[in-house]
């Protein structure tokens, strides 16, 4: 593994920018906390924290702003998203610096977040009007019963986002909520608060009225709980364990929620796969953002016929990855974000090795680069009983398994409680597609790792099993933020016996009517 030249990351963020962004947070009522750049260990800021009073204020402002916003035509709201699209792309240098500084990730993976926001803004701007239009379904008595289904915004949506993809997960979920006529209270992770504040700043400069998208700051268990206690809908991204807590809190209040949770995602190399292509793309699928990606591949099942070739290529490609921390595109892999991340990664690898696994690549922390750097790591001979076999590592660690048949690969891929993302490689794409349909995951990429499905934002994305419930992207990612209201107008005749008609004759008439409707195949 080669090493790119080292420079300090945190030095690059201008102080006046930090101060301006922090001024946008609804915070300051609780003691501030220090936040450090993971790649360099340097302090980024004293981050103000939100008190319960701050959260109350944010919600009161949001509710009043939302009432006006709900009356703004969808076309105007969509135009705002288009402006956000353009500004995020035009001002990307600033946000790439912020994301890199706050997360420690490489610039190329920070750029994935910029494109994610642009793609989502474009998709919802162009589809929003159609998706949010009122519908006129058939009434119980055609012509006599006129029905209209209206879409109403939920009100104030809480978007509680994690630190690993702070722009993509904080902003791309907020934009459709705003488009649907809601206000949004964002609760970013403290580590990545500046990123979300930058997105809010862009939206306001693009014309979003003040108060519609606000950030409150603080630890999840404290501030998150207070936010859920006041929100009308919760959009949460994070671990499955916390997802359960959020679901209980939302369930207590009978509000809706969408949970995007963890994964232990498999990649299958079938007997007829283009092994060289699979071994190339697998590198990105496993190690994007140093593996701190929910869609990241952590298990690879390879048909015995191609196992040796795949492993040789994959190990070689992984060994070529460069690590670094400059705020530029000169290397591929950055730092992990927290001490607990490197602890988990080290524990998973050490436990596996102690129980007989072999390290084919990496396997070491790199304190020479920074406190939380860890080499992209490939393990073989991983078995049940090793922690890494079932638990999500959420770091740069993948296990490679030899399987005798493609059928075995499917069975082992499905042997997990998670079901977020999967990848299937085969030259016969029809067969690969059939196999993909048998994998228990919310998205499966054929001859790609994760970006084909994730980047196709017209299609929903989300998890099965303990990977979550609810979807982002596609119509589902917008319609979760609305309630429907059915307005039915009955004209001329009532849906009841006519004057003088017995209840028995009414029942007979209705029986005849229902039979006729079925014959006419009326729904
Ligand atoms: P986590 O659940 O511990 O924390 C995620 C965020 O939730 C943090 O910002 C945290 O402060 C906050 N939080 C914690 N407890 C809370 C509570 N009671 N109420 C409200 N908020 C609370 O997860 P993590 O380990 O920090 O993040 C990584 C996890 O997120 C991984 O499991 C990863 O797979 C998952 N993830 C999933 C997706 C997805 O789209 N499915 C995307 C990114 C990350």
């Amino acid at each position: 593994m080669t090493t790119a030249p080292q420079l300090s990351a945190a030095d690059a963020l201008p102080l006046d920018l930090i101060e301006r962004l922090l001024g946008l947070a609804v915070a300051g009522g609780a003691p501030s906390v220090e936040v450090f750049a993971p790649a360099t260990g340097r302090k980024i800021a004293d981050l103000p924290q939100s008190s319960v009073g701050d959260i109350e204020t944010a919600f009161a402002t949001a509710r009043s702003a939302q009432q006006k916003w709900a009356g703004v035509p969808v076309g105007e709201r969509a135009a705002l998203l288009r402006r956000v699209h353009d500004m995020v792309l035009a001002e990307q240098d600033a946000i790439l610096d912020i994301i890199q500084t706050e997360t420690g990730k490489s610039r190329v993976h920070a750029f994935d977040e910029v494109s994610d926001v642009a793609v989502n803004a474009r998709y919802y701007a162009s589809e929003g009007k159609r998706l949010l239009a009122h519908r006129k379904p058939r009434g119980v008595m055609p012509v006599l019963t006129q029905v209209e289904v209206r879409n109403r915004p939920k009100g104030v949506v809480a978007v509680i986002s994690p630190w690993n993809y702070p722009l993509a997960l904080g902003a791309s979920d907020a934009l459709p909520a705003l488009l649907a006529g809601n206000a949004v209270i964002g609760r970013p992770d403290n580590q990545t608060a500046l990123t979300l504040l930058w997105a809010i700043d862009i939206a306001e400069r693009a014309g979003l009225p003040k108060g519609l998208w606000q950030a409150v700051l603080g630890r999840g268990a404290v501030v998150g709980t207070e936010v859920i206690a006041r929100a009308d809908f919760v959009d949460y991204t994070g671990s499955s364990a916390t997802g359960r807590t959020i679901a209980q809190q939302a369930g207590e209040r009978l509000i809706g929620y969408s949970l995007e949770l963890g994964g232990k995602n498999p990649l299958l190399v079938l007997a007829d796969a283009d092994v060289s292509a699979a071994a190339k793309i697998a590198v990105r699928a496993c190690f994007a953002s140093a593996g701190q990606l929910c869609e990241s591949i952590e298990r690879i099942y390879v048909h015995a016929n191609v196992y040796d070739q795949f492993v040789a290529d994959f190990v070689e490609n992984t060994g070529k990855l460069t690590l670094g921390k400059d705020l530029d595109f000169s290397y591929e892999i950055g730092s992990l974000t927290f001490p607990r991340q490197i602890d988990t990664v080290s524990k998973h690898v050490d436990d596996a090795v102690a129980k007989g696994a072999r390290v084919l690549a990496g396997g070491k922390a790199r304190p020479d680069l920074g406190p939380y750097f860890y080499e992209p790591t490939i393990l073989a001979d991983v078995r049940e009983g090793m922690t890494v076999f079932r638990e999500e590592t959420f770091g740069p660690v993948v296990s490679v398994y030899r399987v005798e048949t493609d059928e075995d690969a499917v069975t082992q891929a499905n042997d997990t409680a998670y079901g977020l993302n999967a990848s299937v490689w085969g030259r016969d794409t029809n067969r690969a597609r059939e196999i993909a349909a048998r994998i228990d995951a919310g998205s499966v990429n054929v001859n790609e790792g994760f970006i084909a499905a994730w980047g196709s934002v017209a299609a929903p994305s989300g998890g099965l099993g303990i990977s979550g419930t609810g979807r982002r992207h596609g119509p589902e990612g917008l319609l979760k933020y609305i309630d429907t209201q059915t307005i039915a107008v009955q004209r001329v005749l009532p849906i009841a016996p006519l004057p003088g008609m017995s209840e028995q004759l009414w029942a007979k008439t209705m029986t005849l009517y229902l039979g006729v409707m079925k014959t006419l195949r009326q729904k």
Side-chain angles (χ1 to χ4, degrees):
M1 240 146 277
T2 47
T3 305
Q6 296 174 45
L7 279 182
S8 157
D11 290 344
L13 291 189
L15 272 178
D16 56 342
L17 173 69
I18 295 178
E19 272 170 26
R20 190 166 63 76
L21 294 180
L22 290 182
L24 293 175
V26 189
S32 60
V33 297
E34 293 181 308
V35 179
F36 297 89
T40 61
R42 285 174 196 271
K43 185 164 149 182
I44 301 174
D46 283 311
L47 200 68
Q49 300 287 277
S50 305
S51 62
V52 173
D54 290 328
I55 297 166
E56 289 279 3
T57 305
F59 270 87
T61 311
R63 288 206 184 282
S64 125
Q66 190 269 331
Q67 281 175 6
K68 287 193 207 117
W69 182 240
V72 171
V74 179
E76 275 181 42
R77 295 186 222 142
L80 175 102
L81 263 60
R82 286 198 184 87
R83 291 194 293 276
V84 168
H85 168 278
D86 294 349
M87 288 171 69
V88 166
L89 291 180
E91 299 185 28
Q92 60 178 274
D93 285 346
I95 190 58
L96 291 175
D97 285 351
I98 296 174
I99 295 174
Q100 279 201 274
T101 303
E102 289 192 321
T103 65
K105 71 171 68 177
S106 66
R107 202 158 187 89
V108 65
H109 299 142
F111 178 74
D112 288 345
E113 301 205 49
V114 168
S115 12
D116 185 80
V117 173
V119 171
N120 276 285
R122 170 164 53 85
Y123 167 71
Y124 285 115
S126 57
E127 291 297 310
K129 203 166 171 182
R130 182 179 67 80
L131 292 170
L132 293 172
H134 301 331
R135 289 180 288 129
K136 291 197 171 173
R138 191 192 309 278
V140 57
M141 290 186 155
V143 184
L144 299 184
T145 319
Q146 292 186 336
V147 181
E148 186 183 19
V149 180
R150 288 173 172 253
N151 293 321
R152 295 157 61 102
K154 292 272 183 189
V156 182
V157 169
V159 177
I160 300 177
S161 50
W163 44 270
N164 62 323
Y165 274 72
L167 183 66
L169 302 174
S172 296
D173 281 357
L175 292 178
L178 293 166
L179 181 75
N182 298 284
V184 172
I185 300 288
R187 202 296 324 202
D189 196 281
N190 271 339
Q191 181 64 34
T192 50
L194 291 176
T195 297
L196 186 75
L197 291 166
W198 182 88
I200 293 173
D201 183 47
I202 284 274
E204 289 187 351
R205 285 193 282 122
L208 184 74
K210 274 229 165 264
L212 272 175
W213 189 7
Q214 301 171 73
V216 294
L217 307 181
R219 286 185 46 238
V222 181
V223 167
T225 303
E226 294 295 335
V227 166
I228 296 167
R230 291 164 178 82
D232 301 311
F233 185 87
V234 183
D235 183 90
Y236 171 77
T237 306
S239 66
S240 300
T242 307
R244 284 197 179 92
T245 307
I246 306 273
Q248 281 166 4
Q249 292 172 342
E252 194 60 43
R253 294 198 50 231
L254 295 178
I255 57 169
Y257 55 86
S258 177
L259 305 174
E260 309 285 346
L261 309 176
K264 186 77 185 173
N265 308 305
L267 181 150
L268 285 64
V269 185
L270 306 180
D272 72 336
D274 177 343
V275 171
S276 157
K280 198 163 169 238
I281 298 296
V283 171
R284 196 172 165 101
C286 297
F287 303 123
S289 278
Q292 298 175 130
L293 163 69
C294 54
E295 307 266 315
S296 199
I297 299 296
E298 295 200 2
R299 304 177 288 147
I300 301 185
Y301 300 100
V302 192
H303 193 284
N305 292 356
V306 292
Y307 180 86
D308 290 342
Q309 192 201 334
F310 173 83
V311 169
D313 286 3
F314 184 43
V315 169
E316 187 186 339
N317 296 340
T318 301
K320 287 182 189 157
L321 289 171
T322 52
L323 278 69
K325 56 187 170 185
D326 286 2
L327 302 189
D328 62 26
F329 288 98
S330 63
Y331 59 95
E332 290 109 347
I333 306 292
S335 168
L336 294 167
T337 305
F338 288 117
R340 72 166 186 272
Q341 289 300 112
I342 197 156
D343 284 352
T344 306
V345 168
S346 304
K347 272 188 199 143
H348 281 201
V349 173
D350 295 350
D351 168 79
V353 170
K355 291 172 181 165
R358 279 181 302 132
V359 175
L360 302 183
K364 290 194 303 289
R366 291 291 300 270
D368 53 316
L369 293 174
Y372 316 134
F373 279 84
Y374 200 96
E375 291 180 345
T377 298
I378 306 172
L379 299 176
D381 299 339
V382 169
R383 283 188 300 276
E384 182 86 81
M386 301 176 183
T387 311
V388 76
F389 184 80
R390 286 196 184 278
E391 282 186 24
E392 181 187 36
T393 307
F394 209 58
V397 181
V398 61
S399 307
V400 188
Y401 302 87
R402 179 197 294 264
V403 291
E404 293 310 316
T405 65
D406 290 342
E407 217 35 55
D408 287 348
V410 174
T411 307
Q412 292 186 41
N414 283 339
D415 182 18
T416 174
Y418 290 105
L420 190 59
N421 178 49
S423 167
V424 176
W425 287 78
R427 281 199 171 84
D428 179 346
T429 45
N430 284 334
R431 181 166 174 271
R433 194 184 283 130
E434 287 308 312
I435 288 182
R438 293 170 51 213
I439 305 289
D440 299 331
S443 55
V444 188
N445 295 265
V446 172
N447 295 336
E448 226 302 315
F450 67 94
I451 299 175
W454 178 266
S456 303
V457 296
S461 170
L464 307 181
I466 65 166
S467 289
T469 176
R471 294 288 180 265
R472 57 163 59 98
H473 299 170
E476 291 85 345
L478 176 69
L479 299 178
K480 68 184 176 184
Y481 296 128
I482 55 132
D483 284 321
T484 57
Q485 181 187 45
T486 297
I487 299 178
V489 178
Q490 187 64 24
R491 301 160 71 234
V492 189
L493 290 176
I495 311 173
L498 295 170
M501 192 185 222
S502 71
E503 300 286 357
Q504 192 178 9
L505 183 57
W506 163 251
K508 270 192 181 163
T509 310
M510 284 308 290
T511 304
L512 195 64
Y513 168 75
L514 292 172
V516 169
M517 292 298 276
K518 183 185 167 233
T519 308
L520 294 174
R521 297 184 185 200
Q522 300 289 316
K523 284 179 246 160

